Amino acid sequence: MNVFINCLVFFFIYAFLGWCVEVSFVAITRGKVVNRGFLNGPVCPIYGVGMVGILYALEPLKDNAIVLFIGGVVICSVLELFTGWILDKIFRMRWWDYSENRFNIGGYICLEFSIMWGLGSMIMVNMIHPMIYGVVSKIPLMVIYALLVIFAIAFIIDIIVTVKEIVGFKKSLGQLEKIADGLKDIGDQLKDVVGNSAITVSEKTEEGKEKLAEATASSREKIAEATASSREKIAEATASSREKIAEATASSREKIAEATASSREKIAEATVNSREKIASAYETSIVELKKQKIEMEAKYAVMLLKAQKLGKRQVKAFPKLRVSGSTISVRERLADFGNKLSKK
């Protein structure tokens, strides 16, 4: 397909998807189903034009998330501002109004939705468009051309009839109005299906949130109960462990005390035995020493006796001395000398 055919195909696809988004958004936020399109049929041309512009301007830059986001914000905001201003000035009608939102320009655009367009552009280029392109590429060209002719004719007729109604042109357009009425019926039927489906999904989502909140609350209660039970069990186990430790400590102390007492008794017994053995050995030694002393005294007495006998024999053999004109033996002289020494 050439570029022009591609643009037409994706224009109609995203114009229809944008219409579905608008109907769903209003149905969810306001709780009622309305046709949010400018035309009678189920299309919002601003979405088709914006998405085609984003694809051809930003798809080559899709790998750069920052550029893609900023480009989406700029392209969508400029298109929304220009379209809103044209519709307001030419037809004196507003299909959207951001006057109550902060950081708005004339009520045509606002910062909050511009950021949403930027994020939406990133999602569409990177996730949604590749899937849609994959489906479209499998459709035969003849079928695509036939569908484009039908959609283009219906789209042009819808624009003509819508503009006629807005400007108050009273002349009947005949078959064109019938075709527009048919498109309006199709749009109303699709509007009911899309809007009611969105409301149903929203309600189910809310129910799911409530159930999730209930389940979460129940889970929290169960977790709290389990935590409390675990704490009690831990406290019981800790108390039991402390008791067992105390019992084991007391038992160990008793055993240590018994072992200490037993050791002391054994040491005392060993000490007594050692003392007895030492005393016995001491007495034995004393007795032996006394025996040795007696034996030595006996031997000494024998030796002394022998020495005295030997001395007497030797003294008798000494010659006699002459002292002061008298004759005296050596024995008598030695005895006299000994007496003098003892007197002194």
Side-chain angles (χ1 to χ4, degrees):
M1 292 188 293
N2 58 37
V3 176
F4 178 72
I5 298 299
N6 270 337
C7 289
L8 286 179
V9 170
F10 293 123
F11 167 79
F12 284 115
I13 290 174
Y14 290 114
F16 171 72
L17 292 178
W19 178 86
C20 292
V21 170
E22 285 286 336
V23 173
S24 300
F25 179 77
V26 173
I28 293 172
T29 56
R30 300 181 185 177
K32 59 181 180 179
V33 179
V34 294
N35 186 353
R36 288 285 296 169
F38 169 72
L39 303 174
N40 293 302
V43 289
C44 281
I46 187 173
Y47 282 91
V49 174
M51 193 60 202
V52 170
I54 288 171
L55 289 176
Y56 283 94
L58 300 178
E59 190 175 20
L61 306 172
K62 65 180 182 179
D63 293 332
N64 192 326
I66 297 176
V67 174
L68 182 59
F69 172 77
I70 295 174
V73 170
V74 173
I75 292 175
C76 293
S77 297
V78 170
L79 180 62
E80 191 175 32
L81 176 63
F82 178 75
T83 305
W85 184 82
I86 291 294
L87 293 175
D88 185 22
K89 299 303 179 182
I90 295 178
F91 300 107
R92 303 294 178 184
M93 298 180 67
R94 287 200 175 202
W95 272 261
W96 63 88
D97 189 358
Y98 301 132
S99 298
E100 296 181 358
N101 296 71
R102 298 178 62 186
F103 308 108
N104 71 86
I105 300 177
Y108 304 122
I109 61 174
C110 69
L111 180 61
E112 179 183 354
F113 276 84
S114 294
I115 293 174
M116 290 176 62
W117 299 139
L119 296 174
S121 299
M122 296 175 66
I123 295 172
M124 294 299 296
V125 172
N126 289 311
M127 298 175 63
I128 306 300
H129 181 69
M131 293 188 292
I132 293 176
Y133 183 83
V135 173
V136 172
S137 62
K138 295 179 181 179
I139 301 174
L141 284 177
M142 294 305 297
V143 175
I144 291 176
Y145 291 148
L147 291 174
L148 282 179
V149 170
I150 294 172
F151 291 153
I153 293 173
F155 181 70
I156 294 171
I157 292 172
D158 197 359
I159 290 176
I160 294 172
V161 174
T162 301
V163 172
K164 168 188 171 291
E165 292 176 353
I166 292 175
V167 299
F169 188 70
K170 296 182 179 180
K171 187 176 179 179
S172 175
L173 297 178
Q175 292 297 323
L176 296 181
E177 291 184 353
K178 291 182 179 180
I179 294 173
D181 291 338
L183 291 174
K184 189 174 188 321
D185 291 338
I186 294 172
D188 289 339
Q189 292 176 7
L190 289 174
K191 170 196 70 178
D192 293 336
V193 172
V194 174
N196 290 326
S197 298
I199 292 174
T200 302
V201 171
S202 177
E203 291 175 350
K204 289 184 178 179
T205 302
E206 291 297 325
E207 291 178 1
K209 288 181 179 178
E210 291 177 358
K211 290 181 180 179
L212 179 61
E214 292 176 358
T216 303
S218 177
S219 299
R220 287 178 180 174
E221 291 177 358
K222 290 181 179 179
I223 291 170
E225 292 176 359
T227 303
S229 177
S230 299
R231 287 178 179 174
E232 291 177 357
K233 290 181 179 179
I234 291 170
E236 292 176 358
T238 304
S240 176
S241 299
R242 286 178 179 174
E243 291 177 358
K244 290 180 179 179
I245 291 170
E247 292 176 359
T249 304
S251 176
S252 299
R253 287 178 179 174
E254 291 177 358
K255 290 180 180 179
I256 292 169
E258 291 176 359
T260 304
S262 176
S263 299
R264 287 177 179 174
E265 291 177 359
K266 290 180 179 179
I267 292 170
E269 291 176 359
T271 303
V272 171
N273 292 333
S274 299
R275 287 178 179 175
E276 291 177 353
K277 289 180 180 179
I278 292 169
S280 176
Y282 177 74
E283 291 177 356
T284 303
S285 300
I286 294 298
V287 171
E288 291 293 329
L289 288 173
K290 287 180 178 180
K291 287 181 180 180
Q292 291 177 5
K293 181 181 179 182
I294 294 169
E295 290 176 356
M296 289 180 67
E297 287 177 350
K299 289 180 179 180
Y300 177 75
V302 172
M303 289 176 65
L304 182 60
L305 184 59
K306 289 180 178 180
Q308 287 176 353
K309 289 180 179 181
L310 181 60
K312 287 179 181 181
R313 290 176 184 174
Q314 290 177 351
V315 169
K316 286 180 179 181
F318 288 162
K320 293 182 179 182
L321 298 177
R322 193 173 183 83
V323 180
S324 301
S326 61
T327 302
I328 188 170
S329 65
V330 176
R331 181 181 177 186
E332 291 174 352
R333 181 62 180 167
L334 288 173
D336 184 52
F337 182 74
N339 291 330
K340 289 178 179 182
L341 286 175
S342 63
K343 287 179 182 181
K344 288 180 178 182

